[in-house]
Amino acid sequence: MAGILDSVDQRTQLVGENRLEILMFRLAGRQLFAINVFKVQEVLQLPKLTLMPQRHPHVCGVVNLRGQTLPVIDLSQAIGMRPITPSENSTIIVTEYNRSVQAFLVGGVDRILNLNWESILPPPGGAGRQHYLTAITKVDDQIVEIIDVEKVLSEIAPMSTKVSDEKLADPLLAKAVGREVLLVDDSTVALNQLRETMSQLGLRTHSASDGLKALQLLKKWADSGEVMTDKLLMIFTDAEMPEMDGYRLTTEIRNDPRLKDLYVVLHTSLSGSFNEAMVKKVGCDNFLSKFQPDKLVDVIRERLQLDE
């Protein structure tokens, strides 16, 4: 497992191909769950766990991993299932989301699988842990539930959506008022964060929960005669989404003469040295890691400057 992410080149091979690799695991039962391998740093046996006073109920404690102190989150409890009791034989998955590193306590790792995003479907509506899923897929006739880790993390350590007064005082932002943007993300948490920040700038928002829905919406507008660069100031798209990922969405936009000049920002919780390669390969105009309200404003400002 340690060699999962050894090569940047190997990881970027999937970019624009509408494919992903998932790491499958179990929690407190037989149900299979998954997260994207891109987010995984390593899988290992639980090191010595240190308890913390006044910790969040879903945080088991912290571990020291090569000089870095990481919180260990009971992922089973965090999504509404029964807790996992940590032991010296427990497994943790070390991940990086939104520029933060954390470990998830799991019941056991199954395997890594390469899939097409078209085989990844939105989760069914419902209560309970359904609220913590971004997607589902089927592997060997078994349902695999893909966890909305951003939602889990936002409940443990909520992120601020507030833009600083200094940024809001920029006179150039007056040109954003009333303009429209399209937000594309399969995480309701991420969409809400974006909407809240955009509202502070007076921007009007449209949203889609995956790349395919976004593309259909864009084509519908274009079919009705809209000049797309007049209609939309820009598009913010997540990378990983069911049915069509953000890379393929960008590729499809660039291949349609009516859409090709739209300003597309890849807005993702992925981070690392492969980001620039991803952006360059699919033709995004900008890249922003989640979630940084002031940097979001900087990106919008860069777009507005193009109109001057």
Side-chain angles (χ1 to χ4, degrees), residues 107-150:
V109 166
D110 185 86
R111 61 190 146 137
I112 290 170
L113 202 62
N114 186 308
L115 297 170
N116 191 301
W117 270 113
E118 290 168 4
S119 67
I120 310 293
L121 303 173
R129 71 168 184 258
Q130 302 293 344
H131 292 308
Y132 292 92
L133 306 181
T134 57
I136 60 169
T137 191
K138 188 173 277 191
V139 177
D140 299 334
D141 292 325
Q142 260 192 294
I143 295 292
V144 179
E145 301 183 349
I146 300 174
I147 293 177
D148 185 350
V149 177
E150 290 178 54

Side-chain angles (χ1 to χ4, degrees), residues 8 36 51 60 81 91 108 124 128 151 153 166 194 202 236 268 276 286 302:
V8 168
N36 194 318
L51 300 182
C60 309
M81 296 173 64
T91 299
K151 180 173 174 60
L153 295 177
E166 180 186 355
L194 280 167
F236 288 91
T268 172
E276 286 185 18
N286 217 322
E302 287 177 36

Side-chain angles (χ1 to χ4, degrees), residues 42-47 63 72 90-94 103-106:
E42 57 185 314
V43 177
L44 67 157
Q45 197 167 312
L46 177 66
V63 294
V72 178
S90 294
T91 299
I92 59 171
I93 302 173
V94 179
F104 291 110
L105 180 70
V106 298

Side-chain angles (χ1 to χ4, degrees), residues 52 83 111 193 207 228 261:
M52 296 167 52
R111 61 190 146 137
Q193 288 172 334
S207 61
M228 297 308 296
D261 295 325

Side-chain angles (χ1 to χ4, degrees), residues 14-294:
L14 301 180
V15 175
E17 303 300 326
N18 214 37
R19 299 193 69 81
L20 81 158
E21 285 184 322
I22 57 172
L23 174 64
M24 296 192 297
F25 53 89
R26 288 183 168 83
L27 294 175
R30 296 189 57 80
Q31 173 62 46
L32 278 169
F33 296 91
I35 58 175
N36 194 318
V37 165
F38 274 16
K39 307 290 182 66
V40 178
Q41 290 191 348
E42 57 185 314
V43 177
L44 67 157
Q45 197 167 312
L46 177 66
K48 178 177 166 47
L49 188 67
T50 303
L51 300 182
M52 296 167 52
Q54 299 178 321
R55 66 186 185 274
H56 189 280
H58 300 157
V59 176
C60 309
V62 297
V63 294
N64 190 283
L65 200 58
R66 290 180 286 281
Q68 188 175 17
T69 301
L70 305 180
V72 178
I73 298 165
D74 182 344
L75 192 52
S76 182
Q77 185 178 13
I79 66 169
M81 296 173 64
R82 62 183 171 86
I84 297 172
T85 304
S87 74
E88 59 184 17
N89 296 318
S90 294
T91 299
I92 59 171
I93 302 173
V94 179
T95 66
E96 182 175 355
Y97 282 83
N98 303 342
R99 309 172 322 283
S100 71
V101 180
Q102 55 281 309
F104 291 110
L105 180 70
V106 298
V109 166
D110 185 86
R111 61 190 146 137
I112 290 170
L113 202 62
N114 186 308
L115 297 170
N116 191 301
W117 270 113
E118 290 168 4
S119 67
I120 310 293
L121 303 173
R129 71 168 184 258
Q130 302 293 344
H131 292 308
Y132 292 92
L133 306 181
T134 57
I136 60 169
T137 191
K138 188 173 277 191
V139 177
D140 299 334
D141 292 325
Q142 260 192 294
I143 295 292
V144 179
E145 301 183 349
I146 300 174
I147 293 177
D148 185 350
V149 177
E150 290 178 54
K151 180 173 174 60
V152 171
L153 295 177
S154 74
E155 292 180 353
I156 294 171
M159 285 190 170
S160 172
T161 58
K162 179 77 173 69
V163 179
S164 69
D165 291 340
E166 180 186 355
K167 293 289 182 185
L168 289 175
D170 187 338
L172 182 61
L173 294 179
K175 294 186 176 181
V177 176
R179 295 296 305 271
E180 298 176 50
V181 295
L182 175 61
L183 314 175
V184 192
D185 206 301
D186 60 340
S187 169
T188 55
V189 168
L191 282 177
N192 287 334
Q193 288 172 334
L194 280 167
R195 286 191 196 105
E196 286 171 22
T197 298
M198 299 289 171
S199 69
Q200 295 169 61
L201 306 180
L203 284 159
R204 297 171 56 197
T205 60
H206 305 272
S207 61
S209 57
D210 63 61
L212 183 58
K213 289 186 180 70
L215 185 63
Q216 289 168 343
L217 182 58
L218 290 168
K219 287 181 178 292
K220 177 184 170 185
W221 285 332
D223 288 344
S224 71
E226 297 267 15
V227 177
M228 297 308 296
T229 48
D230 291 343
K231 180 170 181 62
L232 291 178
L233 180 67
M234 58 206 306
I235 299 170
F236 288 91
T237 180
D238 189 21
E240 314 157 278
M241 295 174 289
E243 300 196 87
M244 181 184 289
D245 65 25
Y247 312 126
R248 175 55 67 86
L249 170 62
T250 307
T251 300
E252 294 291 336
I253 288 171
R254 298 300 179 228
N255 288 338
D256 188 322
R258 304 168 303 170
L259 309 177
K260 66 182 180 64
D261 295 325
L262 284 167
Y263 192 93
V264 181
V265 180
L266 190 67
H267 183 239
T268 172
S269 54
L270 293 170
S271 50
S273 58
F274 58 90
N275 286 331
E276 286 185 18
M278 289 179 169
V279 170
K280 191 176 294 185
K281 182 171 181 179
V282 300
C284 290
D285 294 286
N286 217 322
F287 168 85
L288 183 63
S289 58
K290 297 176 181 175
F291 184 74
Q292 306 174 82
D294 278 6

